[in-house]
Amino acid sequence: MSDHLTVVDHPLVQHKLTLMRDKGTSTAAFRQLLREITLLLAYEVTREMPLTTRHIETPMEEMDAPILAGKKLALVSILRAGNGMLDGVLELIPSARVGFVGLYRDEQTLEPVQYYFKAPEGLKDRLVIAVDPMLATGNSSAAAIDLLKQAGATDIRFLCLLASPEGVARMKEAHPDVHIVTAALDRELNSKGYIMPGLGDAGDRMFGTK
Ligand code: URA
């Protein structure tokens, strides 16, 4: 645990993650578990959202009651696997604005190239939560955060399911201001950039592709 990284060790999160890692878990169950686990992770990533008060009347008396301050938060899915986490966060925060970042890896340069970017207005005044289940090399995550910063975002958090030590280090170097919340920090990346022990290709497992 550090200022830069929170590993959510809640028993429900760890239990659901084990079911997701298991290669025998079906596509439907994987998708459902991802939604459920994201809801729990979203609880953690929003823990420090600022509050203000609103004057209300309960059936009993008046009170100044806590309510979220500022603009609605912006949720940004890093395509395509990030979409599997959207539902979970939106269940907890239905009024969130939603953006998308699409990046592919150029096979010559191995650098991430943008093919889609659409973000809610007023990013600079919103808490921005970028979601991508797998923080592997960290290259596309760091590039996505670059794009969000270019679009004005200043308060960004990164929500993932699994992180590698390499990905966390890459993000810390590129974006030390971006706090990462994850369900687990795994051992390492393999030579193909997969997280070990991991859960395989998150996009393929949630969408039933190969
Ligand atoms: N992306 C995935 O889906 N899985 C990994 O292990 C690494 C990157």
Side-chain angles (χ1 to χ4, degrees):
M1 218 67 60
S2 74
D3 280 355
H4 192 244
L5 178 72
T6 299
V7 178
V8 181
D9 58 2
H10 191 287
L12 280 174
V13 169
Q14 295 306 313
H15 175 83
K16 288 176 194 296
L17 179 57
T18 297
L19 300 180
M20 295 184 76
R21 289 184 191 272
D22 189 335
K23 69 177 186 184
T25 297
S26 71
T27 299
F30 188 92
R31 213 182 282 151
Q32 172 69 19
L33 286 161
L34 182 58
R35 220 186 65 220
E36 293 168 1
I37 206 169
T38 303
L39 205 146
L40 296 165
L41 296 174
Y43 178 80
E44 194 59 42
V45 79
T46 51
R47 181 178 284 284
E48 281 153 29
M49 281 177 81
L51 290 171
T52 182
T53 54
R54 177 184 289 173
H55 192 77
I56 59 165
E57 278 178 51
T58 78
M60 310 305 289
E61 64 176 14
E62 296 186 9
M63 71 175 289
D64 291 315
I67 193 159
L68 290 172
K71 285 200 178 216
K72 306 275 185 291
L73 71 75
L75 192 57
V76 177
S77 167
I78 302 175
L79 298 172
R80 79 182 154 145
N83 281 11
M85 297 181 82
L86 277 179
D87 284 353
V89 189
L90 284 172
E91 217 159 289
L92 195 68
I93 316 164
S95 60
R97 305 304 192 238
V98 181
F100 298 90
V101 178
L103 298 162
Y104 70 88
R105 197 163 74 137
D106 184 300
E107 292 306 327
Q108 307 299 321
T109 65
L110 302 183
E111 291 298 318
V113 180
Q114 172 192 338
Y115 67 86
Y116 190 76
F117 185 83
K118 186 88 179 171
E121 288 188 343
L123 276 194
K124 78 173 174 38
D125 302 316
R126 300 181 190 274
L127 168 63
V128 177
I129 300 177
V131 294
D132 190 351
M134 309 299 270
L135 176 56
T137 63
N139 289 337
S140 60
S141 308
I145 304 294
D146 281 338
L147 293 171
L148 291 171
K149 287 185 174 175
Q150 281 162 28
T154 56
D155 185 7
I156 309 174
R157 284 165 220 181
F158 188 85
L159 181 59
C160 59
L161 183 63
L162 284 186
S164 72
E166 295 88 340
V168 170
R170 171 83 181 91
M171 281 284 277
K172 188 167 187 177
E173 172 202 324
H175 299 291
D177 56 311
V178 174
H179 193 98
I180 299 165
V181 173
T182 185
L185 178 61
D186 271 11
R187 189 179 70 244
E188 61 186 354
L189 285 184
N190 72 6
S191 60
K192 295 194 167 128
Y194 279 85
I195 298 176
M196 303 297 285
L199 50 73
D201 188 296
D204 283 347
R205 292 202 61 195
M206 75 181 74
F207 297 122
T209 48
K210 256 277 175 276

